[in-house]
Amino acid sequence: MAKQPHLLIEEGDVEDIALVPGDPGRVERIASHCEDVEEVASNREYTVVNATYEGVPLTICSTGIGGPSAAIALEELANVGVETFIRVGTTGALQPDIEIGDMVVATGAAKEEGTSKRYEPELIPAVPDYDVLSGLVDAAEARGEDVHVGPIVSDDAFYNENEAYVARWSEAGLLAVEMEAATLFALARRKGLRAGAICTADGNLVEGTQKGADSDEELPEKAKNNVERAIKIALDAVVDVA
């Protein structure tokens, strides 16, 4: 099989399980908890690293921002052998009881993005694999961590999440909004693969806070700290679902 054109990887380069953060910088952060770390490729928004965690081999690959780039990452990783995808990301809370730094494990994602709709109708649900979902919840419980578990929404327009959108999503009981999960869930399901997601709240839209609004840095300090905890939960889930 030819080398994949965006990730610059080929068959034999990656492992069966991949953690897929959006931010390329988070690849290194995840890898810092692992052993046998080896960079495989780096191109555009995609950084690909192999490592082992508690003896389990895994791949870490950034997806960039949004559904289109996430779809490219999943398609190309799947082409060369990845079977399980776990998103480790950030999200904006949509319920008043979810604080900055809280973690959310998604049980499904509303398709407010366009990429998944190019693959299938909007009415087909974007849901995670049950084993990956339960693996994330079990890993959090084993660490004594509280996580919010429920449906989220994936959206394309970060700067157009206005009051009407936020109210509609919040009233529907959706926990949080991010930009990649619906695409990853839909594509993985269609391909007979597994996907799940754990995200850390970097703002609360119903409370009027948004990532970067009150700081010169992208993430508030509590969110930074809890991204680290979400990474550890995701890595423990890798061991559980391997």
Side-chain angles (χ1 to χ4, degrees):
M1 178 178 291
K3 184 170 288 190
Q4 300 300 301
H6 301 93
L7 273 60
L8 304 182
I9 55 176
E10 55 193 350
E11 196 166 354
D13 283 345
V14 297
E15 305 296 344
D16 294 343
I17 299 177
L19 295 188
V20 285
D23 181 4
R26 201 165 299 141
V27 172
E28 182 178 351
R29 193 168 177 182
I30 295 170
S32 70
H33 296 276
C34 301
E35 299 177 339
D36 308 317
V37 177
E38 179 185 5
E39 183 172 296
V40 177
S42 183
N43 185 51
R44 299 194 180 205
E45 62 264 57
Y46 306 111
T47 297
V48 185
V49 165
N50 285 338
T52 60
Y53 179 76
E54 295 189 1
V56 177
L58 71 148
T59 292
I60 311 162
C61 177
S62 53
T63 65
I65 296 175
S69 61
I72 288 172
L74 186 145
E75 291 271 16
E76 295 191 6
L77 288 166
N79 283 345
V80 296
V82 176
E83 299 177 349
T84 301
F85 300 82
I86 301 177
R87 168 161 158 70
V88 186
T90 55
T91 190
L94 294 171
Q95 299 300 323
D97 64 324
I98 300 179
E99 299 181 0
I100 291 174
D102 284 6
M103 291 174 281
V104 176
V105 174
T107 58
K111 296 174 176 175
E112 198 79 296
E113 40 68 69
T115 306
S116 68
K117 299 170 192 174
R118 291 295 306 276
Y119 288 83
E120 63 186 20
E122 185 175 3
L123 61 84
I124 299 176
V127 294
D129 174 80
Y130 177 79
D131 289 338
V132 178
L133 165 62
S134 59
L136 288 166
V137 175
D138 290 348
E141 290 178 350
R143 283 186 171 271
E145 298 280 12
D146 293 326
V147 294
H148 302 270
V149 181
I152 64 173
V153 54
S154 296
D155 182 38
D156 278 340
F158 182 89
Y159 287 106
N160 198 36
E161 291 167 351
N162 58 36
E163 290 184 9
Y165 279 110
V166 170
R168 184 178 70 179
W169 296 334
S170 181
E171 289 166 5
L174 303 181
L175 300 186
V177 56
E178 51 78 84
M179 303 184 75
E180 294 84 24
T183 298
L184 295 172
F185 293 169
L187 269 64
R189 189 199 66 251
R190 293 185 70 83
K191 292 176 174 293
L193 306 174
R194 306 190 299 178
I198 181 169
C199 296
T200 305
D202 53 24
N204 188 308
L205 277 67
V206 294
E207 298 295 326
T209 60
Q210 189 180 59
K211 175 166 63 176
D214 302 315
S215 171
D216 291 336
E217 298 188 27
E218 181 179 352
L219 297 181
E221 199 61 36
K222 187 180 179 185
K224 287 182 189 177
N225 294 338
N226 283 8
V227 164
E228 196 78 10
R229 295 161 73 186
I231 287 169
K232 293 175 182 176
I233 291 169
L235 285 167
D236 286 350
V238 166
V239 176
D240 183 64
V241 303

